[in-house]
Amino acid sequence: NHTAISFCYINICNFSEISKSLTPKHLVRMIAYYFILYDAVATKFKVFRLKSFGDVGVFVSGLLGGKELSSQSAFTMAQFAGYVAQLLTPSFAHFPHRLPQIVDAFHNDHTMDENKAAKMYPVKIGLHSGQATTGLVDYGKTPFFEVYGASLSLTHRMMSSAAPSTVHVSTNFKE
């Protein structure tokens, strides 16, 4: 059991509507681009991507820390979320060649013009710090690491109620 770890949920605003207007190839490319960006920023701030489903990414910070509330894990998660939010705001002139760690995502894609800004959609981000139980689920052919607890549901609610291009934080996270 962990008494204080920080969670982050990120999703693309209006993803269902956006996905209807894209070809399957472009939809997969777009999702890959977002997750490559998330992972590059997560690596920079030593945040762990716990899971992803559809356009939603779930991240955690503070798993390797002590059992007590770690303001450092919350601060790290706030930096991660702020950085992602800034990179994905519609006003950010987002050219792939400006972010070297992501250029490879476009390297073999002849349908994208490197001199033209990639179409970016805003994200909603939710943050919460709280309790969780972690463990390795070793059942079946593929063991996997899992995190359980009400903190994940609360983080999801923070994300769901966030306005586009914003980071919505819980009271626990603020404290």
Side-chain angles (χ1 to χ4, degrees):
N1 283 337
H2 296 270
T3 56
I5 53 181
S6 296
F7 297 97
C8 175
Y9 268 70
I10 306 174
N11 89 319
I12 301 168
C13 297
N14 302 316
F15 178 73
S16 295
E17 288 301 312
I18 293 166
S19 65
K20 292 176 187 174
S21 68
L22 299 173
T23 65
K25 179 181 178 180
H26 284 96
L27 179 64
V28 169
R29 290 263 185 212
M30 182 186 83
I31 293 295
Y33 179 78
Y34 276 78
F35 279 95
I36 289 168
L37 184 134
Y38 298 160
D39 290 344
V41 176
T43 298
K44 176 179 176 58
F45 291 105
K46 296 183 176 137
V47 169
F48 174 69
R49 177 163 41 119
L50 184 60
K51 60 177 92 177
S52 56
F53 44 94
D55 68 313
V56 177
V58 181
F59 298 85
V60 64
S61 174
L63 280 176
L64 300 177
K67 299 277 185 183
E68 298 305 314
L69 178 61
S70 169
S71 59
Q72 183 60 43
S73 77
F75 181 72
T76 298
M77 190 60 82
Q79 288 180 303
F80 165 75
Y83 203 88
V84 168
Q86 180 185 11
L87 288 175
L88 294 174
T89 57
S91 61
F92 187 77
H94 200 72
F95 292 87
H97 66 277
R98 290 192 181 159
L99 296 171
Q101 67 268 40
I102 320 175
V103 171
D104 289 341
F106 294 92
H107 183 66
N108 293 321
D109 190 349
H110 303 292
T111 64
M112 298 188 84
D113 181 358
E114 285 189 12
N115 297 316
K116 185 178 176 188
K119 175 82 170 155
M120 298 308 298
Y121 300 97
V123 294
K124 299 190 320 183
I125 301 175
L127 300 179
H128 175 68
S129 291
Q131 292 182 256
T133 300
T134 61
L136 183 64
V137 178
D138 190 12
Y139 180 76
K141 293 182 181 181
T142 310
F144 58 96
F145 179 76
E146 189 60 86
V147 176
Y148 302 96
S151 291
L152 288 161
S153 297
L154 185 54
T155 309
H156 184 266
R157 285 195 296 274
M158 292 292 104
M159 177 206 62
S160 296
S161 61
S165 300
T166 63
V167 179
H168 191 193
V169 302
S170 70
T171 303
N172 277 10
F173 190 87
K174 288 179 195 177
E175 294 172 355

